[in-house]
Amino acid sequence: MLDFIYYPVSWILWFWHRVFGFAFGADNGLTWALAVVFLVFTLRLVLYKPFVKQVRTTKQMQELQPQIKELQKKYKNDRQKMATEMQKLQKDHGFNPLMGCLPILAQVPVFLGLFHVLRSFNRTGTGIGQLGMSVYDNAHTPNYVFSAVDVQSFLSARILGAPISAYITSPPSQLQAFADYGGVPTKLSIALVSIPLMVIAGLATHFNARASVARQSPEAAANPQSAMMNKLALWVFPLGVLVGGPFLPIAILLYWVSNNIWTYGQQHLVFGRMAKEEEIKKQQKLEQRAQNAPKPGAKPVNVKKKQSPSDATPVDANADAVDAVDAAPSTNGTAKSPTKAGQRRSGGQKRPGNRGRPNQKRRR
């Protein structure tokens, strides 16, 4: 039913087994272990751009938290309106919440596909999903793209005496499948390889989560949903590796360790680049602000400044004085008759022709 997942996973694993088989031998446990590790690296390389998008989406979500809270408070009694406004906010900022989950969701089918393919190298079990084959039939039946010879090579591969498809809780009947291909492994040899991998995988999961939580903004960390997810990532998921480790094949534990190693390096690379981008943007803003600022010693010009009375020209001042004299009553009780434009006054002064009542109205 899930062959569209099993076959691509088998092809990638088969390719890397052939690559490392030239260097270490097809039956070497290191060859199969590296094939699993580079299967993980291939997947993560394909998902690199979605991972970057996930990080940017998470950061953008943290920046939009104040606006999201405001919308939730404003439309708490109208869920339909709240959903509409949230979609509008996301559209305006080019924000897609699904991009934050895509890399994780894409790894789930690969994990399940690898688990199934690795378990199908040993089909002698009778549990759920097992075929209950005999030891001979299992060793001479192909496994997806792997031939019967490849199945026998996988059964012969050992890491410190433990087959990479074995797990601590493997039933004794299943371990008999390795009898003709390197001998039946002991539970102790399997535990000596599995337990260190379980501890490393759990610690790596915890420290990756801690690095991610440390980069969250205070507003995002204070969000109840984010706080709950942070606790799950910091403590529950690492504990889940330790609890579920005895039921996982050694190859799956290798997958988990290598996946966490890639995540740790990728996080530092991506977050480092984003920090440099933000620093460049800040520097550009400072330079632009410096360019727009006035030159040293230059007085900024205020074009809206009103003209003060002291700025009036001497001609205007003299004209006002003349008009005041014309309008003033005489000291002997008789009013002076206004002189016409161009006529001489007493004292020999000639009144300017362009001064008069229209000019006074203009000044008012």
Side-chain angles (χ1 to χ4, degrees), residues 281-299:
K281 289 181 180 179
K282 289 181 181 179
Q283 191 66 27
Q284 289 176 347
K285 288 182 179 179
L286 291 176
E287 291 177 357
Q288 186 176 5
R289 187 179 300 174
Q291 290 176 357
N292 296 334
K295 301 296 182 182
K299 185 177 180 180

Side-chain angles (χ1 to χ4, degrees), residues 153-295:
S153 172
F154 188 87
L155 294 173
S156 302
R158 296 287 191 277
I159 297 179
L160 300 178
I164 63 173
S165 65
Y167 49 96
I168 296 176
T169 57
S170 297
S173 59
Q174 272 189 273
L175 296 178
Q176 294 298 320
F178 304 99
D180 297 334
Y181 304 96
V184 177
T186 63
K187 291 292 185 71
L188 179 61
S189 64
I190 298 172
L192 290 176
V193 178
S194 296
I195 292 176
L197 289 175
M198 290 160 49
V199 174
I200 295 172
L203 290 175
T205 303
H206 172 77
F207 284 110
N208 278 336
R210 175 175 289 185
S212 180
V213 170
R215 293 184 176 94
Q216 290 182 352
S217 63
E219 293 81 5
N223 189 307
Q225 295 179 352
S226 299
M228 182 181 68
M229 289 302 300
N230 291 341
K231 290 181 180 180
L232 290 174
L234 285 170
W235 307 109
V236 178
F237 294 163
L239 183 62
V241 178
L242 296 176
V243 173
F247 303 93
L248 299 176
I250 292 174
I252 293 295
L253 295 175
L254 285 171
Y255 171 92
W256 207 294
V257 171
S258 55
N259 188 56
N260 278 283
I261 291 173
W262 180 279
T263 300
Y264 186 82
Q266 186 172 257
Q267 277 186 346
H268 281 71
L269 175 65
V270 172
F271 283 111
R273 287 183 176 179
M274 291 179 62
K276 289 181 180 179
E277 290 176 1
E278 292 179 357
E279 188 64 28
I280 291 173
K281 289 181 180 179
K282 289 181 181 179
Q283 191 66 27
Q284 289 176 347
K285 288 182 179 179
L286 291 176
E287 291 177 357
Q288 186 176 5
R289 187 179 300 174
Q291 290 176 357
N292 296 334
K295 301 296 182 182

